[in-house]
């Protein structure tokens, strides 16, 4: 009979370390995994064992321990069985705590540990729920990002990356009126965004981009909802405001009476100021409807000593051109508005102001997929994407493209999103036994593929 040996390892300093000799045999190593009777989903795996801790080796705060500062909460642990020449993994997970215990004599010092698979940490996550758009933007590495989804009780528009708090300056009308946070519902799967103040005829809302987050080739993306008035989204470029180094501004303008857009470029020094209209009367009637919102992108890139620019709406390019002015990094974004007293104009809504480094940014069409909650992607691809955004390693058994189509991704926890995709496909989401990763077995891969006959020559 071939002997069977247990191997217990800890991940210490990026390496698996054999600690089998410190595992007490007086207590069983208990491993639980899989799906409970009549359960709809696979439960997190668990493993309990007891370590000999007379040396203090497994006390994370013990400065004399060789593992001091190297073990702690969520330290990976792995249990395997050696059967002859084969090493069979049985469990991999994370140790949540290292409680010290001792007998009455004080001579027997031990540490009972309970490890759990990666699903436990996902279940216990208290991170705020975020939409597919917010998750995608953050995972794609923007230079700066103001979601403008801070909630009804907020006082400021805090950036998630790369900027300072955006501030409001009302100039005409009831100038003490605040922004109407959560004033515009984009879609059930997206957070509501801010609406400009009511009863304010003119104003400006702006956000400053921090040094180190100002790319030479930049793209400014934002969501705008409602009719608006005579509005413009501007990007002020880095400059001293002198004749030698003038202030420069790019504008994407909105004119509600004609339901058109325009693109202009402004420069001003000590003694001269001028505006160049690069494109006007860009027909876009769909972006001036009361209850609709659209995604806009103004992008500027260096080109042969000048600047190449383009404008996209809802992922499609609607205008582009060249300007014989040097490309400069942005200093801040500015939303100016004037809402005249007529039967049509109304304050616009604004959200998801994002500054991208154009050399590495996702394309406008990718942003639109996230804006629509990635509706229509396969369950397998959703599981892969969400795991990538969350930093979770995952292996898919089967073809992820040969899985069921899913709807818009809802604002739930990553585990709920993964579980919903697995349920839609009828597959199984579980933990790997050998590495701290998830495994998804597609529904189709669970069944036999039939006999395949081959004819020998």
């Amino acid at each position: 009979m071939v002997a069977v040996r247990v191997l217990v390892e800890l991940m210490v300093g990026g390496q698996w370390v054999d600690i089998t000799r410190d595992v007490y045999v007086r207590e069983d190593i208990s491993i639980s995994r899989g799906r409970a009777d009549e359960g709809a989903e696979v439960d997190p795996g668990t493993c309990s064992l007891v370590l000999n801790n007379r040396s203090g080796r497994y006390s994370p705060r013990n400065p004399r321990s060789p593992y001091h500062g190297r073990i702690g909460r969520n330290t990976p642990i792995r249990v395997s069985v050696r059967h002859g020449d084969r090493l069979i993994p049985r469990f991999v997970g994370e140790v949540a705590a290292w409680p010290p215990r001792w007998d009455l004599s004080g001579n027997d010092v031990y540490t009972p540990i309970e490890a759990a698979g990666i699903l436990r940490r996902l279940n216990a996550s208290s991170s705020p729920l975020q939409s597919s758009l917010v998750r995608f933007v953050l995972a794609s590495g923007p230079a700066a990002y103001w979601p403008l989804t801070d909630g009804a009780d907020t006082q400021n528009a805090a950036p998630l990356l790369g900027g300072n708090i955006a501030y409001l300056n009302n100039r005409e009308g009831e100038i003490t009126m605040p922004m109407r946070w959560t004033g515009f519902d984009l879609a059930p799967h997206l957070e509501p965004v801010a609406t400009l103040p009511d009863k304010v005829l003119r104003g400006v809302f702006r956000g400053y981009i921090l040094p180190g987050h100002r790319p030479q080739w930049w793209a400014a993306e934002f969501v705008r909802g409602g009719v608006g008035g005579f509005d413009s989204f501007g990007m002020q470029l880095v400059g001293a405001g002198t004749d030698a180094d003038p202030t420069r501004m790019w504008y994407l303008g909105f004119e509600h009476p004609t339901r058109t857009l325009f693109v202009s470029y402004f420069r001003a020094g000590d003694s001269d100021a001028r505006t160049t209209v690069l494109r006007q009367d860009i027909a876009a009637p769909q972006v001036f409807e009361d209850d609709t919102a659209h995604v806009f992108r103004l992008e500027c890139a260096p080109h042969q000593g000048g600047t190449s620019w383009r404008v996209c709406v809802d992922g499609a390019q609607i205008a582009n051109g060249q300007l014989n002015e040097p490309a400069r990094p942005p200093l801040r974004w500015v939303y100016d508005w004037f809402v005249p007293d007529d039967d049509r104009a109304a304050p616009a809504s604004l959200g998801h102001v994002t500054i991208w480094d154009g050399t590495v940014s996702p394309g406008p069409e990718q942003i639109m997929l996230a804006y629509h909650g990635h509706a229509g992607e396969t369950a397998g691809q959703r599981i892969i994407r969400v795991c990538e955004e969350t930093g979770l390693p995952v292996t898919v058994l089967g073809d992820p493209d040969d899985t069921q189509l899913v709807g818009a991704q809802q604002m739930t926890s990553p585990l709920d999103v993964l579980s919903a995709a697995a349920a839609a496909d009828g597959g199984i989401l579980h933990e790997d036994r050998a590495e701290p990763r998830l495994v998804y077995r597609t529904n189709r891969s669970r069944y036999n593929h039939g006999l395949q006959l081959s004819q020998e020559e």
Side-chain angles (χ1 to χ4, degrees), residues 104-125:
L104 292 177
S105 69
N107 295 321
D108 183 14
V109 183
Y110 57 97
T111 298
I113 62 173
E114 174 113 8
I118 196 169
L119 288 174
R120 175 199 60 83
R121 182 150 50 93
L122 285 177
N123 262 328
S125 175

Side-chain angles (χ1 to χ4, degrees), residues 50-68:
V50 179
L51 294 173
N52 180 348
N53 198 25
R54 289 188 178 93
S55 66
R57 182 188 303 267
Y58 303 106
S59 298
R61 296 183 180 181
N62 178 10
R64 297 183 179 181
S65 167
Y67 302 148
H68 177 64

Side-chain angles (χ1 to χ4, degrees), residues 303-381:
H303 180 74
Q304 298 179 352
T307 300
S308 173
W309 63 268
R310 68 167 177 161
V311 173
C312 298
V313 177
D314 295 336
Q317 180 174 296
I318 62 169
N320 69 299
Q322 308 286 332
L323 178 66
N324 190 25
E325 285 279 346
R328 291 290 186 94
L331 179 67
R332 61 182 175 180
W333 58 267
V334 179
Y335 193 90
D336 278 288
W337 79 90
F338 166 49
V339 180
D341 186 13
D342 62 25
D343 295 333
R344 178 65 180 160
S349 299
L350 193 66
H352 300 286
V353 179
T354 312
I355 309 301
W356 297 104
D357 181 337
T359 63
V360 294
S361 70
E365 67 285 349
Q366 293 175 281
I367 293 293
M368 292 309 300
L369 292 175
Y371 180 76
H372 292 299
H374 301 277
E377 71 180 342
T378 65
Q381 290 297 344

Side-chain angles (χ1 to χ4, degrees), residues 11 15 18 27 58-59 77 117 142 153 173 178 183 199 287 330 337 339 385 405:
M11 178 67 75
Q15 301 289 330
D18 184 355
E27 300 283 349
Y58 303 106
S59 298
I77 189 171
D153 297 327
K199 301 178 182 179
V287 308
W337 79 90
V339 180
R385 177 181 54 78
L405 301 180

Side-chain angles (χ1 to χ4, degrees), residues 6-22:
V6 174
L7 174 66
V8 181
E9 300 168 285
L10 277 182
M11 178 67 75
V12 180
Q15 301 289 330
W16 287 109
V17 177
D18 184 355
I19 63 166
T20 308
R21 67 176 183 174
D22 291 329

Side-chain angles (χ1 to χ4, degrees), residues 212-231:
H213 296 262
R214 303 169 180 171
Q216 187 86 357
W217 175 356
W218 54 265
E221 208 142 28
F222 61 97
V223 176
R224 179 186 181 273
V227 177
F230 295 96
D231 302 355

Side-chain angles (χ1 to χ4, degrees), residues 166-183:
Y167 62 93
L168 178 70
N169 182 8
N170 296 331
R171 294 175 173 174
E172 184 178 344
E174 297 187 18
I175 61 174
T176 60
M177 296 293 289
M179 290 284 284
R180 289 175 284 172
W181 305 107
T182 69

Side-chain angles (χ1 to χ4, degrees), residues 230-397:
F230 295 96
D231 302 355
S232 64
F233 182 92
M235 290 290 288
Q236 181 178 341
L237 309 183
V238 173
T242 63
D243 287 340
D245 186 18
T247 296
R248 297 173 169 91
M249 294 278 297
W250 282 91
Y251 286 105
L252 173 59
F254 301 81
E255 296 191 319
H256 80 284
T258 58
R259 298 161 73 86
T260 59
L261 309 177
F262 67 86
V263 179
S264 65
Y265 182 80
F266 170 80
R267 58 174 289 162
D270 296 320
S271 58
D272 178 61
R274 65 178 183 271
T275 296
T276 303
V277 178
L278 302 173
R279 191 68 56 83
Q280 61 185 355
D281 297 330
I282 304 171
Q286 74 277 14
V287 308
F288 294 93
E289 299 297 330
D290 285 329
D291 299 321
T292 63
H294 300 270
V295 181
F296 297 85
R297 184 183 183 109
L298 173 61
E299 184 171 354
C300 290
H303 180 74
Q304 298 179 352
T307 300
S308 173
W309 63 268
R310 68 167 177 161
V311 173
C312 298
V313 177
D314 295 336
Q317 180 174 296
I318 62 169
N320 69 299
Q322 308 286 332
L323 178 66
N324 190 25
E325 285 279 346
R328 291 290 186 94
L331 179 67
R332 61 182 175 180
W333 58 267
V334 179
Y335 193 90
D336 278 288
W337 79 90
F338 166 49
V339 180
D341 186 13
D342 62 25
D343 295 333
R344 178 65 180 160
S349 299
L350 193 66
H352 300 286
V353 179
T354 312
I355 309 301
W356 297 104
D357 181 337
T359 63
V360 294
S361 70
E365 67 285 349
Q366 293 175 281
I367 293 293
M368 292 309 300
L369 292 175
Y371 180 76
H372 292 299
H374 301 277
E377 71 180 342
T378 65
Q381 290 297 344
R382 174 159 298 180
I383 288 171
I384 292 173
R385 177 181 54 78
V386 171
C387 285
E388 288 178 349
E389 291 175 358
T390 315
L392 293 171
V394 65
T395 297
V396 176
L397 303 179

